[in-house]
Amino acid sequence: MEKRIVLFIVLSIAVFAGNLYLQRLLQKNQPAPVAVKNEDDKSKEDKDKVVPAKNDKGKDTEKADPKKGDGKDNEAKPGDPAPPAEVPAENADPAAPAAEAPATPPVPNQHFALGSFDPNSPYRMLVTLTNRGAALERVEFNSNRFLELEDRSGYLGSLAPADNPQGCLVQVVGAGTPAAVAGLQAGDIITAIDEDQITNAAGLIDTLRKTKPNQQVQVSIVRGTATEKLSATLARVPAQIIRPEKDTVPLQVLQPGNHDPLSLLLTLQSIDGKKIGKDEKELAGVDLYTANWEGKQVDEQTVEFSRVLAAEKLRIIKRYRLAKTTDDTPVAWHLNVEIELQNTGEEARNVAYLLNGPNGLPIEGWWYLHRNRISRSWGSLGVRDVALRMDSSASNTGESVLISSLTIADGTVDPLYREETDDLRLLYAGVDSQYFASVLLPDGEKTTPWLAEIRAEQVGQVPSDANRKKLVNVSCELMSNTLKLEPNGPGVKHSYQLFVGPKRREVLAAYGRDGNTLEELIYFGWPIWGAVAKVMLTVLHFFYSIVGNYGIAIIMLTVSVRLLMFPLSRKQALSAQKMQELQPEMKRINDKYKGKNEDRARAMQELWRKHNYNPMGGCLLAFVQLPIFLGLYRSLMIDVELRGSPLFGESVRWCSNLAAPDMLFRWDGFVPHFLSSETGWLGPYFNLLPLITTGLFLVQQKMFMPPPTDEQSAMQQKMMKYMMAVMAVMFYTVASGLCLYFIASSLWGIGERKLLPKMIGSSKTKPTPVAAK
């Protein structure tokens, strides 16, 4: 009986304790009661709500808990809704108490567009910005002269598409794009294109790849609670000079953290002597690269981003202002980038910032362009290389370098590559490619040196395939000197000009200072080739202004060059004919003095002197043509005007880019990989014009070369035929415009030689045999 009483008491205590524990557990998982708020509390709550993407939040971020930075990384409480997808969960502060309310709500993703896609607008480009890192995401040209060469699908607009449960969320719509003309707005959700259902951002991109320019499509959207259908006429995809990429592949859909760093990211290199460590990307507590900044559109041309570091009592502001063409600024291929640092505390702070340069320049046609890049040194260049120029204020001279992306990828470039001094200032630093450049130019009005370090840096990963190493993405880094920020003072402002444009001489000449401009980014090689190339380009552009077709202009240039060289070519032709007439006598001398080289040479010299024949005269034309050929070769491979210029018009894909091989058809599906791959000997396309060029060379050689007089000359002529085959392989991927020049020149030469009077017909005498001595 006593045992039963003891057991009852124990069980009662256990049941009571279990019930108490269960009640507390259930209460803990219930949502907190909603307190009754007065009007002031409601007003404060309204201010803290997340507003649409382009609304300015002012200085709310200054209310962040100093222990948690700006409030973005606070841990969510049980029962709270999940944070937005654009705010990575790994950024949450694990040490934050679960019951503590965040000081400010997370900043949502924001995208902004500056400029216009309309070529008739006062802007040269359409720029997309993101508040994630306050970065430059994309730059697209709006000129019909600068279109995407490899992507011939329809273009709706760079919408910064994002996944949405209903379809694809549109985050930005640039002015003048087909999407804007059709009435599409930021915040719309695309659910279908014609009959194709859109379930996510990648689905939208895949569907648009199947469309064509000028095609009209029906875009089904959800706007708020309503559904609509918009009609859009697609355009050609524009040239994208700055765009996101991953592993050298351009990206249209960005997943946070799954791409190379974007352009013009900014962070603090040091705060009061504390610097970024060797293996660190940023200082502890300073999240400027991946955090969402507060963004607002100040006016039509300007977007401002700001971020408060509450613990450090610092405010960082970055402004982008896109230039527009005016009477005072006819050349407007740039953005003004302004960096402002403010101290919101009560004590002075010493800080230095680190600004990343532009990256993500196009890699179009890299399989043939990288073979034609010209270095200022003996080293090999990549597809995109770092360009840097330091100017001396004392001597008005400086140093211009082009740092190969290959050496950057190999790690053979000194990290502390340059630094500013009182006498040596940075003129520009950025990235240079075959036809475009994107460089930062510090404000030309600055009176003191800003930059402690100017470095060339690799962006992203080096391609694992060694043959694709030339594609590595590179940029520059500018680290400022230590700046003293007074408490609650006006702060420090640094201004830069970001040039993003084509490598046109008149455009580049408009950027720079003190007579030193970006024009030197166009490099033809040795001065003699450069002098000839500039003359050739001037004449070529003149002919184009008359006929409006660069293919015809190249033929006209060829005819002009051959007319100027007609006296030399006539002399060469007559010399070849005289050589042919002397062949029997030369053969007789060879037979007579076989094995007696000195006697044979003496007899040959006497024969040539008697008939006023110079065997080297035929080589004169070749020596004169060499600088013309190399100058024209350099000009056609470098001139941006030939990029995308077709021979027959937009409707014919063959020879649609005179700066590239003619690409008659793709043959990499049935030709061995070592020949037809992008890194192979010949490339992925069958090119017809190089074969026609080589064939005409062989015809000329057979028609006009005199028959051999001995085994040695026969062997030389046979070797020349073999060299023609080697030359066909070497020149297989040259610009079709250059092949057009060779074809026109060869046809002219054949006609010229056929029309010249026969030497034997104009002469009444025949060569007199030389008497044997």
Side-chain angles (χ1 to χ4, degrees), residues 215-243:
Q215 179 179 338
Q216 192 172 46
V217 297
Q218 297 296 317
V219 184
S220 301
I221 65 168
V222 174
R223 182 176 294 169
T225 58
T227 59
E228 297 183 32
K229 276 194 174 183
L230 306 176
S231 180
T233 302
L234 304 180
R236 275 278 306 267
V237 179
Q240 300 183 35
I241 307 308
I242 291 178
R243 78 280 189 275

Side-chain angles (χ1 to χ4, degrees), residues 30-56:
Q30 293 293 326
V34 179
V36 178
K37 299 179 178 62
N38 56 30
E39 293 299 319
D40 291 338
D41 291 334
K42 290 181 180 179
S43 175
K44 181 177 183 298
E45 182 183 74
D46 291 339
K47 292 180 181 178
D48 291 338
K49 287 182 179 179
V50 177
V51 297
K54 291 191 178 181
N55 288 355
D56 178 24

Side-chain angles (χ1 to χ4, degrees), residues 384-421:
R384 301 168 288 192
D385 305 289
V386 173
L388 186 147
R389 170 66 183 259
M390 303 294 292
D391 276 341
S392 173
S393 59
S395 59
N396 198 31
T397 60
E399 176 189 21
S400 177
V401 294
L402 199 59
I403 309 169
S404 171
S405 59
L406 298 175
T407 59
I408 298 173
D410 291 338
T412 56
V413 176
D414 187 353
L416 178 55
Y417 198 75
R418 295 289 185 274
E419 60 181 323
E420 284 192 334
T421 64

